[in-house]
Amino acid sequence: MARARGSIKKFSRAQVLFHWFYGSAWIVLALTGLTFMWRGDPTGPAVGLGPLLQGSVGQTLRLVHRIAAVGLMASPLVWLLGDPKSVWPDLKELFAFGRNDLKYMLIAPLYYTTGRGQLPPQGKFNGGHKVNFYVVFITFFTFAGSGLVMWFGRGSVSDAAFHTAQFVHSLSFFLGSGLFLLHVYLTAVHPFTRRSLSAMVNGWMELQYARLDHAEWVEREIRRGTAQIRDGGPAAEAR
Amino acid sequence: MGRAATWESWRPDPTNPRQHVAMLVDTSECIGCKGCEVACKQWNQNEARISQEPGTYQSHPALDAETWTVIKFFETDAENGMSMWLMQKHNCMHCTEAGCVTACPTDALQYGDYGVVTLDQEACIGCGYCEPACPFDAIHVDQTVWGQKAQKAGKCTLCYDRIANGMQPACVSTCPTDCIKFGDRDALIAWGRERVEQLKAMGYPNANLYGVDEMGGLHELYVLLEPPEAYGLPVNPSLSKTLTLWKYVLQPVGKALLGAGLFGLVLNWLAARRTFKGGLSPHETGAAMHD
Ligand code: SF4
Ligand code: SF4
């Protein structure tokens, strides 16, 4: 079987915009936040990129970090205001983690490496998307909460609260960046799953890929008559 | 004991930076003149900040980024119709296990020669992590909302620039009663213990030496007439567990896991590019026999 043409609409323009708004703020935050991890031997002089990131450069990066933080915190508005209709159904599906999702999580690592195994039919979001979303959802609040404590609470919150915020912020970073790396890998690098990237570029996904990776969703949309399907690949003119 | 001439002439061994120096404040001899505060401001060229708290004799309510030493005044309850002033020369204690060094993400704070905790203002990004990490409230970063360029941490340096050049710290050399002593840490501890015994014999049963074991050993020692809490000093201060966990567990483990994850992705890519040739899954190419 070769690749057939034809694609299905997966995301609205507002959802795509929200994704990239959030994603770019996240990347800026991660990069500027990395200054805080540049610490080698505490008794030796700063090494590597360290000295570059410190002093007034570091202070400027801190300012950029805060501006990006405001952007990140505001980004859900793009979805909420831009495409309110899709918010509830999508969130409902994202938060429903069933047996198929669990199966998917167990089989996917092997399948995406060796092609062996049979992935259970997935909805609009597969088990991996859901787990990714949970981490994003939770860290959105832990990042914002702990960040605000450190931004505005210095001197007024207790020392223990400040240290906890510091810990939670870093923990969120490690959790979030692990998922981030995996997410970028699967959607931009992995030879098979990167076929899903177009859905987050112009909203359209290859129908054949969708039938493989989101069979349950495609069937449901067709059954209900709500599927938006067109001829031609996802990268076609129609935007 | 009066003026201890021996301390005035003492200098650290310039060839032995591993030697631990210390300052010892014999609070029983402090007269609260604040000469040390002025000497500190002058030597370090820190701006004058007028912020006296009404109703006290203290020049400043607390230390700040440009005020590195302050004489704190505490009045004891009246006994036989008499109360007493307790004076504590407050500044960075140069801890052996320092909260600020543990918290500083950019290496601006480090354990330096002679046991001094050094602060490199060039490297400081003003994050303020050090502030709540110090159990003595001895390091500060000015708080401005957006004018962040102005924010740098500031604290007592133990006049590292002076002692490394064979001089005494500015506050030590200016103290008119010689109640601040500077010297080899072990020798000062021995001296302090003797002084405590002497004070006890003079009718101060609560006299004690502070700083020997606190935070792994302070490089600022105090001969006190009353228990530490009477001077606003923390009893058994300790390094925050959360901070230690953050620094020595979360950060290295997190970095290692991220690295391992990245390695796993590379391995996956090497395998997947052969399995999913042309981006097609075995189901599409018909290779999945059990389909
Ligand atoms: S007293 Fe505070 S500022 Fe000084 S070394 Fe200890 S933790 Fe750091
Ligand atoms: S404010 Fe400066 S000295 Fe304090 S923790 Fe941050 S970088 Fe280090």
Side-chain angles (χ1 to χ4, degrees):
Chain A
M1 188 160 63
R3 277 200 213 189
R5 292 173 70 73
S7 32
I8 181 166
K9 178 90 167 174
K10 193 171 179 209
F11 293 121
S12 70
R13 208 189 284 222
Q15 285 176 306
V16 171
L17 203 66
F18 161 55
H19 173 267
W20 291 109
F21 199 135
Y22 188 93
S24 37
W26 204 95
I27 291 171
V28 172
L29 282 161
L31 290 178
T32 49
L34 272 176
T35 36
F36 287 5
M37 289 180 46
W38 238 276
R39 189 188 162 112
D41 167 16
T43 56
V47 288
L49 278 178
L52 260 184
L53 298 173
Q54 296 172 348
S56 57
V57 178
Q59 296 204 334
T60 311
L61 292 181
R62 238 157 44 76
L63 179 65
V64 175
H65 193 78
R66 288 177 177 187
I67 294 170
V70 174
L72 183 114
M73 289 189 282
S75 62
L77 290 177
V78 177
W79 185 19
L80 294 176
L81 301 179
D83 183 19
K85 274 199 312 324
S86 69
V87 174
W88 177 239
D90 276 2
L91 282 186
K92 211 166 78 181
E93 175 156 359
L94 280 165
F95 278 114
F97 194 86
R99 187 186 292 245
N100 266 356
D101 297 307
L102 189 66
K103 251 200 213 153
Y104 174 93
M105 288 304 286
L106 294 174
I107 298 173
L110 185 72
Y111 180 75
Y112 288 142
T113 311
T114 63
R116 253 179 268 158
Q118 179 83 35
L119 290 174
Q122 297 290 293
K124 182 172 181 180
F125 306 99
N126 64 35
H129 291 144
K130 289 181 184 177
V131 170
N132 184 55
F133 177 78
Y134 301 151
V135 172
V136 170
F137 188 82
I138 292 169
T139 53
F140 175 85
F141 293 103
T142 54
F143 266 132
S146 55
L148 290 172
V149 166
M150 290 190 284
W151 187 352
F152 296 107
R154 181 150 62 83
S156 49
V157 301
S158 73
D159 293 354
F162 194 94
H163 298 148
T164 307
Q166 205 174 321
F167 189 90
V168 168
H169 214 68
S170 293
L171 183 64
S172 311
F173 170 79
F174 286 117
L175 259 178
S177 32
L179 252 291
F180 172 81
L181 288 178
L182 184 62
H183 182 64
V184 170
Y185 171 75
L186 286 174
T187 47
V189 183
H190 188 280
F192 177 61
T193 53
R194 74 165 175 227
R195 285 160 69 187
S196 65
L197 180 62
S198 61
M200 258 319 165
V201 177
N202 55 23
W204 292 87
M205 174 177 261
E206 230 182 285
L207 185 56
Q208 183 170 319
Y209 179 86
R211 281 187 185 284
L212 287 168
D213 221 30
H214 300 280
E216 202 258 313
W217 170 64
V218 176
E219 296 313 322
R220 184 185 352 135
E221 292 287 301
I222 292 177
R223 216 172 38 241
R224 284 190 193 156
T226 44
Q228 281 178 266
I229 295 179
R230 66 167 195 215
D231 289 340
E237 4 37 75
R239 286 278 150 97
Chain B
M1 279 187 180
R3 292 186 74 87
T6 46
W7 299 118
E8 276 176 28
S9 53
W10 187 88
R11 299 287 178 267
D13 177 358
T15 61
N16 179 19
R18 300 204 158 271
Q19 170 184 28
H20 278 212
V21 304
M23 280 208 291
L24 182 147
V25 185
D26 181 357
T27 60
S28 69
E29 294 211 315
C30 174
I31 54 171
C33 72
K34 307 181 186 94
C36 52
E37 292 185 15
V38 178
C40 175
K41 285 264 182 199
Q42 189 206 20
W43 175 260
N44 295 298
Q45 305 196 348
N46 285 338
E47 73 178 25
R49 289 189 172 171
I50 316 293
S51 56
Q52 190 178 14
E53 239 180 350
T56 79
Y57 287 117
Q58 254 174 250
S59 62
H60 300 72
L63 299 173
D64 61 51
E66 298 265 342
T67 306
W68 297 348
T69 191
V70 158
I71 299 291
K72 287 194 164 183
F73 283 65
F74 299 91
E75 198 172 6
T76 59
D77 293 336
E79 233 175 76
N80 312 325
M82 286 266 285
S83 68
M84 185 169 64
W85 281 112
L86 302 177
M87 259 86 69
Q88 185 236 337
K89 178 181 183 294
H90 189 52
N91 47 250
C92 169
M93 309 285 174
H94 299 274
C95 314
T96 300
E97 288 157 19
C100 63
V101 177
T102 309
C104 178
T106 67
D107 283 345
L109 283 156
Q110 299 194 357
Y111 299 112
D113 294 346
Y114 303 117
V116 174
V117 170
T118 59
L119 166 60
D120 175 3
Q121 289 200 326
E122 284 290 298
C124 172
I125 58 171
C127 65
Y129 280 15
C130 50
E131 232 181 56
C134 170
F136 300 100
D137 193 32
I139 186 163
H140 295 268
V141 188
D142 283 343
Q143 189 132 19
T144 58
V145 178
W146 287 108
Q148 296 184 48
K149 290 249 188 263
Q151 294 186 30
K152 294 274 183 190
K155 73 165 190 78
C156 157
T157 63
L158 220 126
C159 281
Y160 184 77
D161 47 351
R162 289 172 62 101
I163 62 175
N165 286 297
M167 296 160 78
Q168 294 199 317
C171 56
V172 176
S173 56
T174 214
C175 177
T177 67
D178 194 29
C179 79
I180 321 171
K181 296 160 206 318
F182 169 73
D184 177 78
R185 185 168 186 272
D186 292 337
L188 276 173
I189 289 174
W191 186 92
R193 290 203 164 121
E194 227 175 276
R195 175 68 176 155
V196 164
E197 290 315 312
Q198 206 179 36
L199 286 167
K200 282 186 174 160
M202 283 163 67
Y204 295 98
N206 296 332
N208 64 94
L209 181 64
Y210 186 85
V212 179
D213 299 316
E214 281 79 4
M215 304 302 282
L218 306 180
H219 293 82
E220 173 90 9
L221 304 158
Y222 294 93
V223 168
L224 304 175
L225 293 173
E226 295 293 334
E229 52 270 39
Y231 295 81
L233 287 166
V235 182
N236 297 324
S238 63
L239 209 54
S240 147
K241 293 237 165 33
T242 323
L243 211 54
T244 318
L245 219 59
W246 173 78
K247 176 69 202 307
Y248 299 109
V249 179
L250 179 63
Q251 300 260 348
V253 169
K255 284 182 209 177
L257 285 182
L258 274 190
L262 214 53
F263 183 67
L265 293 184
V266 172
L267 288 186
N268 177 279
W269 183 74
L270 289 175
R273 60 199 269 262
R274 307 175 67 182
T275 313
F276 300 92
K277 282 214 181 71
L280 295 175
S281 75
H283 291 95
E284 289 165 287
T285 53
M289 285 310 159
H290 51 274
D291 205 12

